[in-house]
């Protein structure tokens, strides 16, 4: 998946990515995810284009009398780069013939084997290195097995299949580990020179209990006569330890992001850095880049300053501990006291003020639970826990948005190119689908004009607290395009901001590291270059933005799929058990029901009439089938 965004060769040609839909249609979509053309599947096969490939395409003249969809017809001119140099699937054998059935059906029904199977047996999950792609005389891709993952349906094999199928990197090269070993274990005195000393300030982190890569800390104080706050967001200075072009840097760019699977983490940097010298552990000095914002009682930022700094975190709070303190209690594992507690109360007030201002400008605020699989000591799933936002998570969310916006404005003011976080407005077809979902529930969005973020926010607010709230929030979220990285100045639709970036997670996101380098260049007076050098930098950042957007999609898909694997593994241990479940979705084809352990499955319409049921109803069901390979749980009425 390497390389930056190549330019089309001829007039009228467009660069895009092949997307095969579940119904078999072949689309070419642009960098923003907007479909450009629909392509005849046979023409796509003729040029060897597969799902995910980057291609050059052009519009095809529509013949009179032909019936087409809403998209203009197109043809693929050539394949620019391959997305599937390896394919993960299940080995099958009939007589002397062997082939692999891809896990992702969009890659076709089979991959032929011509170079051996490494002794894999039928029913095993394997990785195939594709050496021949489809073409005019070749229906299926072909290649050789390069890795055996284990029996299909076994949890470990399926998790490895998730990692391989999404092209994730789970092993650091020796040169990267060697470079990490040479990093200091503690901050050296020489590194503190010229930095703002914040070790006397009350600075602390708030994060998940399981987190080890703590890359942001916060502080707060009152300004003037107490009518405004001075918010400090202090982010690990990873750029001090990771030089551009170094082995650590090259590997981080290849990964793009840390990936948080259900049973393991694939970090962007080796633990020596991500959990060590860069992580803002309490009680030790750490190098940071600090953003201070003066914010008034209406949530307006009046001044911003940025500094290379160093801190000593006073505490490492978890979200649950901080929320328990704010709600008048104490978490049983972590006590909040003294100056940290006082600062936390001020932070809660400021976060409420920032959120109110964000709501006034129309920013979207989704309240959907996050699914986490709780594992036992052997990595086996125990239950699926739904975690909803609390006051502590909202504090960090609001403060990180404020810091990211402040840094984006800071770099824009200094005229420095940087990678932005952008988000386009919804596409017309997606909006029409959303209207069809919302109308029966009594919610309306404008039809005479493109809806503003405030229009969708009004729908989210109206649904809040109602039985269908999760369904409404999910429907609105599905209607939005995915946010992405870009060097082109564009707004962020969901946040209702004209200028935004990602700055606060350089341990976990490579675009944030590039932003840190640009901030440091400004601070050190080295930000401006010749026109030629700046043009080269823009091209370089554009390639990074494009690549990291694709890597982020792969990471998100892998994270969701890994959770599904563990959920089905948990359901498999409950076969035949009768339990009271809660209806989470009602469709013509069946009813989705959530069991007490958090597993969700489908009761087909043939087994239970969905008419008369709605989200929130209860019904007694049993687990009929739990197939890890297909990631499907089938329920039946008890």
């Amino acid at each position: 998946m390497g390389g930056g965004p190549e330019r089309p060769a001829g007039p009228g040609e467009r660069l895009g990515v092949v997307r095969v839909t579940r119904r078999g249609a072949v689309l070419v979509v642009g960098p923003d995810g907007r479909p450009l053309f629909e392509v005849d599947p046979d023409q796509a096969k003729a040029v060897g284009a597969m799902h995910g490939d980057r291609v050059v395409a052009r519009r095809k003249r529509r013949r009179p009398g032909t019936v087409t969809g809403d998209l203009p017809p197109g043809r693929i001119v050539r394949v620019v780069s391959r997305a599937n140099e390896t394919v993960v699937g299940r080995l099958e054998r009939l007589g002397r013939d062997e082939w692999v059935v891809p896990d992702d059906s969009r890659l076709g029904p089979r991959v032929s084997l011509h170079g051996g199977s490494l002794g894999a047996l039928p029913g095993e999950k394997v990785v195939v290195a594709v050496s021949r792609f489809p073409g005019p005389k070749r229906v299926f891709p072909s290649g050789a097995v390069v890795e055996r993952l284990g029996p299909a349906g076994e949890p470990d094999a399926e998790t490895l299949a998730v990692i391989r199928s999404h092209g994730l990197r789970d092993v650091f090269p020796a040169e990267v580990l060697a470079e990490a070993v040479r990093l200091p274990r503690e901050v050296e005195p020489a590194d503190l020179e010229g930095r703002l000393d914040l070790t006397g300030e009350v600075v602390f982190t708030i994060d998940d209990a399981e987190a080890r890569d703590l890359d942001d800390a916060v502080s707060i104080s009152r300004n003037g006569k107490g009518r405004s706050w001075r918010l400090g967001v202090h982010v690990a200075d990873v750029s001090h330890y990771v030089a551009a072009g170094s082995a650590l840097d090259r590997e981080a760019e290849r990964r793009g992001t840390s990936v948080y699977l259900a049973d393991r983490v694939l970090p962007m940097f080796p633990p020596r850095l991500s959990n060590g010298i860069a992580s803002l552990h309490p009680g030790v000095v750490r190098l940071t880049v600090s953003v201070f914002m003066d914010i008034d009682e209406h949530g307006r930022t009046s001044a911003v300053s940025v500094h290379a700094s160093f801190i000593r975190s006073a505490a490492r709070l978890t979200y649950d501990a901080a929320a328990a303190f704010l709600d008048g209690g104490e978490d049983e594992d972590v006590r909040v006291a003294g100056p940290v507690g006082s600062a936390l109360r001020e932070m809660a007030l400021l976060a409420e003020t920032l959120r109110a201002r964000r709501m006034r400008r129309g920013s979207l605020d989704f309240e959907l639970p996050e699914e986490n699989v709780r594992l036992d000591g052997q990595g086996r799933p125990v239950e699926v826990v739904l975690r909803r936002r609390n006051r502590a998570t909202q504090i960090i969310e609001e403060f990180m948005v404020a810091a990211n916006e402040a840094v984006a404005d800071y770099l824009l003011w200094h005229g420095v190119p940087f990678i932005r976080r952008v988000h386009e407005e919804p596409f017309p077809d997606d909006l029409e689908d959303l209207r069809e979902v919302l109308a029966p529930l009594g919610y309306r969005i404008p039809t005479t004009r493109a809806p503003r973020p405030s229009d969708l926010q009004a729908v989210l607010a109206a649904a809040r607290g109602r039985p269908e709230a999760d369904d409404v929030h999910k429907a609105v979220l599905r209607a939005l395009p995915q946010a992405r990285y870009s060097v082109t100045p564009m707004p962020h639709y969901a946040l209702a901001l004209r200028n935004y970036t990602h700055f606060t997670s350089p341990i976990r996101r490579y675009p944030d590291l590039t932003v840190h380098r640009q901030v440091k260049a400004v601070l050190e007076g080295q930000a401006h270059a010749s026109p030629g050098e700046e043009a080269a930098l823009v091209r370089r950042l554009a390639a990074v933005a494009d690549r990291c957007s694709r890597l982020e999609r792969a990471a998100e898909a892998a994270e969701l799929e890994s959770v599904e694997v563990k959920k089905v593994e948990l359901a498999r241990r409950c076969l035949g058990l009768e339990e009271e479940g809660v209806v989470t979705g009602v469709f013509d084809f069946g009813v989705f029901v959530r069991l007490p352990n958090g597993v969700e499955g489908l009761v087909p319409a043939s087994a239970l009439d969905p008419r008369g049921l709605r989200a929130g109803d209860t019904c007694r069901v049993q687990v009929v089938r739990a197939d890890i390979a297909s990631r499907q749980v089938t329920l039946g009425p008890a």
Side-chain angles (χ1 to χ4, degrees):
M1 295 199 311
E6 299 86 353
R7 293 185 177 278
E13 295 179 345
R14 302 287 298 276
L15 185 72
V17 175
V18 176
R19 288 284 180 265
V20 178
T21 69
R22 295 297 179 185
R23 61 182 177 85
V26 179
L27 310 178
V28 176
V29 302
D32 60 356
R34 191 184 300 270
L36 301 173
F37 311 117
E38 182 165 357
V39 177
D40 186 302
D42 291 334
Q43 195 273 323
K45 290 178 184 176
V47 296
M50 296 176 64
H51 174 75
D53 288 348
R54 303 180 76 207
V55 298
V56 170
R58 66 163 57 243
R59 184 166 181 164
K60 189 172 72 172
R61 183 168 300 188
R62 185 174 287 164
R63 289 178 296 175
T66 58
V67 178
T68 65
D70 296 331
L71 286 176
R75 60 182 296 272
I76 296 172
V77 178
R78 66 180 182 278
V79 176
V80 174
S81 62
R82 295 287 182 185
N84 306 287
E85 295 176 349
T86 60
V87 173
V88 178
R90 186 184 68 255
L91 183 77
E92 298 288 353
R93 182 183 295 155
L94 181 62
R96 306 181 86 179
D97 291 335
E98 291 183 318
W99 65 94
V100 170
V101 179
D103 284 355
D104 189 343
S105 61
R106 295 171 298 181
L107 300 179
R110 66 191 291 180
V111 177
S112 301
L113 294 181
H114 67 261
S117 59
L118 286 184
L121 302 174
E124 274 194 53
K125 278 289 177 76
V126 296
V127 180
V128 179
V130 179
S131 56
R132 301 173 187 168
F133 290 88
K137 298 181 180 180
R138 189 181 301 112
V139 178
F140 304 117
S142 64
V145 173
V146 293
E147 186 179 5
R148 298 170 63 180
L149 304 179
E154 287 301 309
D156 287 345
E158 293 297 338
T159 298
L160 275 177
V162 170
I163 292 171
R164 299 291 184 266
S165 64
H166 292 284
L168 305 180
R169 299 169 70 88
D170 59 343
V171 176
F172 285 103
E175 63 172 342
V176 175
L177 293 175
E179 202 168 271
V181 166
R182 292 194 292 270
L183 293 172
R185 290 188 178 275
E186 300 297 338
V187 173
E188 297 171 344
D191 294 334
L192 306 180
E193 294 179 6
R195 289 178 172 267
L196 181 63
D197 182 354
L198 297 173
T199 55
E201 303 291 323
V202 180
V203 178
F204 54 92
T205 62
I206 312 176
D207 218 313
D208 283 314
E210 300 80 15
R212 297 294 178 266
D213 48 357
L214 311 176
D215 50 12
D216 57 78
V218 289
S219 63
I220 197 168
S221 59
R222 284 281 188 173
N223 273 337
K225 297 180 179 180
R227 294 176 181 170
S228 62
W229 293 274
R230 191 171 202 231
L231 169 65
V233 174
H234 316 278
V235 182
D237 189 359
V238 178
S239 65
H240 180 84
Y241 298 105
V242 180
S246 64
L248 280 166
D249 182 59
R250 294 194 304 272
E251 180 67 13
E253 184 179 348
R254 291 187 193 103
R255 295 180 176 231
T257 180
S258 295
V259 186
Y260 299 88
L261 303 178
D263 62 350
R264 70 196 73 182
V265 177
L266 307 181
M268 191 173 76
F269 288 112
R272 179 67 177 263
L273 184 143
S274 60
N275 299 353
I277 189 63
S279 188
L280 306 182
H281 297 302
V284 294
V285 172
R286 287 292 185 259
L287 304 185
T288 48
V289 178
S290 295
V291 182
F292 288 100
M293 294 152 279
D294 292 340
I295 304 172
D296 68 17
E297 66 270 28
H298 303 293
R300 297 174 299 202
T301 300
S302 58
V304 172
S305 62
V306 183
H307 307 270
S309 58
F310 59 97
I311 68 168
R312 183 185 291 110
S313 175
R316 186 259 196 267
L317 301 185
T318 65
Y319 289 128
D320 289 342
F325 173 80
L326 292 171
D327 293 337
E330 287 285 358
D331 185 90
E332 61 184 17
D333 297 320
V334 181
R335 296 188 64 84
V336 181
V340 171
S342 299
L344 193 55
R345 289 192 185 93
E346 286 291 342
M347 289 177 181
L349 292 174
L350 175 56
E352 291 170 5
T353 303
L354 290 172
R355 184 181 182 278
R357 178 171 173 79
R358 189 162 60 82
M359 294 302 97
R360 288 195 297 272
R361 72 170 183 254
S363 173
L364 303 186
D365 195 43
F366 294 99
E367 291 188 4
L368 288 170
E370 177 185 340
E371 283 189 331
N372 287 288
V373 181
R374 190 166 67 84
L375 307 175
D376 64 15
Q378 285 71 47
R380 295 177 302 219
V382 176
E383 65 175 333
V384 181
V385 181
L386 288 182
R387 296 184 59 179
R388 292 189 178 270
R389 295 158 68 197
N390 58 35
R391 295 177 70 186
T393 59
Q394 289 175 353
I395 287 173
I396 297 303
E397 287 172 7
E398 296 300 338
F399 289 3
M400 297 307 114
V401 169
N404 286 331
E405 182 189 9
V407 169
D409 289 343
Y410 177 84
L411 292 176
L412 183 65
W413 173 261
H414 285 89
V416 176
F418 64 99
I419 293 179
R420 293 164 163 84
R421 184 68 169 175
V422 302
H423 187 220
E424 284 88 359
E425 62 183 27
F427 306 147
D429 289 349
D430 293 329
L431 284 173
E432 193 54 42
D433 291 343
L434 177 61
R435 290 186 181 98
E436 292 179 6
V437 171
L438 295 182
L441 298 174
Y443 299 92
R444 300 286 185 271
I445 55 176
T447 57
T448 57
R449 58 172 173 79
R452 293 183 285 269
S454 56
D455 297 318
L456 299 183
Q457 181 55 258
V459 171
L460 299 178
R464 197 163 287 123
R466 298 180 63 85
E468 71 273 11
D470 282 358
D471 289 339
V472 171
H473 282 234
K474 287 177 184 176
V476 174
L477 187 60
R478 282 195 300 267
L480 298 175
Q482 290 181 293
R484 61 188 178 92
Y485 297 107
S486 174
V487 293
T488 305
M490 294 175 61
H492 195 293
Y493 180 87
L495 291 175
L497 289 173
R498 297 183 60 84
N499 190 35
Y500 193 64
T501 191
H502 270 174
F503 163 80
T504 54
S505 293
I507 295 178
R508 295 179 277 183
R509 298 187 301 228
Y510 191 77
D512 299 51
L513 179 56
T514 70
V515 170
H516 271 246
R517 287 176 176 148
Q518 293 301 86
V519 169
K520 296 281 288 293
V522 171
L523 294 175
E524 294 165 5
Q526 300 174 357
H528 294 288
S530 68
E533 290 172 332
E534 184 164 306
L537 174 61
V538 170
R539 288 194 297 272
R540 153 81 178 147
L541 292 178
V544 170
D546 180 72
R547 178 178 174 80
C548 287
S549 294
R550 289 183 279 125
L551 291 170
E552 180 184 50
R553 303 282 185 272
E556 290 173 347
E559 289 168 353
L560 291 172
E561 192 175 349
S562 76
V563 170
E564 292 303 314
V565 168
K566 290 300 180 184
K567 286 164 64 176
V568 182
E569 182 186 350
L570 180 57
R572 196 164 65 175
R573 300 211 300 267
C574 305
L575 286 172
L577 292 180
E578 295 185 9
E579 296 188 278
E580 193 82 10
V582 178
V583 174
T584 59
V586 180
F587 302 90
D588 293 339
F589 54 82
V591 179
F592 284 99
V593 176
R594 185 179 182 86
L595 303 179
N597 63 7
V599 170
E600 190 174 63
L602 176 70
V603 184
S606 59
L608 180 68
D609 189 348
R611 289 175 296 181
L613 288 173
R614 61 176 294 167
D617 289 349
T618 59
C619 59
R620 195 160 184 80
V621 296
Q622 63 178 331
V623 179
V624 175
R625 182 171 176 267
D627 184 11
I628 293 180
S630 65
R631 320 286 193 251
Q632 292 180 344
V633 175
T634 304
L635 305 176

